[in-house]
Amino acid sequence: PGYLRDAGQKLLALGQPEAAAPCLERAVALDPQDSAAHEAYGSALVRTGRAPLALAEIESARQLEPANPGYCRTLAEVLWSLGEHGRAVEAWQAALQLAPGDAATLYRLGQAHQALGQPEQALDCHAAAAEHWALNSASQGPDGTVHNARHAAARREAGRAALEFGQPAEAAHHLAE
């Protein structure tokens, strides 16, 4: 079953979710305790337009491995795509409980707060993500470029959220860094 999961994950990485889904479905059937297979199968289902079916797979992965923040993030994205914004925010917050300070989760949670008209929470999340990426960009060597780009994006989002929250000085601070 592990080889089917691995093949399905490789197909997903190659952008072929239609080909990945049957491999991953079979992997889950052969080993229902394989949380990674459930998560990958859920991802394939989402990418093939079957988000409602994906939800059960992602929730299975989370039940099998509740301490995995990646499963919380995937669950949040699926819930968001289904319009279940409150539950999605809760899932991103659960991911942060498991991996405090994860910049990518903070950034995505900030985007969610922004979309939901919650600029204060968006500002907090984006500012924290920008700070994390700024700290890591200097120490990443060749990967520093990626962190710099992420840091700049998070600064822009923090600045935008500060403006929406009515804090022009805070916005200027984030946009001027």
Side-chain angles (χ1 to χ4, degrees), residues 66-136:
N68 186 321
Y71 297 162
C72 293
R73 287 189 295 270
T74 302
L75 177 62
E77 293 296 342
V78 172
L79 289 166
W80 188 267
S81 75
L82 292 171
E84 295 189 38
H85 299 147
R87 285 183 63 203
V89 167
E90 289 172 6
W92 278 307
Q93 290 169 336
L96 286 173
Q97 289 290 321
L98 295 169
D102 179 73
T105 303
L106 284 164
Y107 183 75
R108 186 62 185 97
L109 181 57
Q111 289 178 315
H113 282 306
Q114 194 110 18
L116 295 172
Q118 301 165 338
E120 184 175 11
Q121 294 94 328
L123 173 58
D124 291 343
C125 291
H126 288 305
E131 181 179 329
H132 175 78
W133 278 321
L135 292 172
N136 285 317

Side-chain angles (χ1 to χ4, degrees), residues 12-90:
L12 278 176
L14 292 170
Q16 299 177 22
E18 298 85 8
C23 291
L24 295 165
E25 181 178 28
R26 184 77 175 129
V28 165
L30 291 172
D31 185 0
Q33 299 303 308
D34 185 342
S35 62
H38 281 283
E39 193 267 345
Y41 183 40
S43 294
L45 290 170
V46 167
R47 293 180 194 174
T48 57
R50 298 178 282 173
L53 295 174
L55 191 55
E57 294 302 325
I58 304 303
E59 287 176 336
S60 292
R62 250 191 99 201
Q63 288 173 357
L64 290 166
E65 198 175 333
N68 186 321
Y71 297 162
C72 293
R73 287 189 295 270
T74 302
L75 177 62
E77 293 296 342
V78 172
L79 289 166
W80 188 267
S81 75
L82 292 171
E84 295 189 38
H85 299 147
R87 285 183 63 203
V89 167
E90 289 172 6

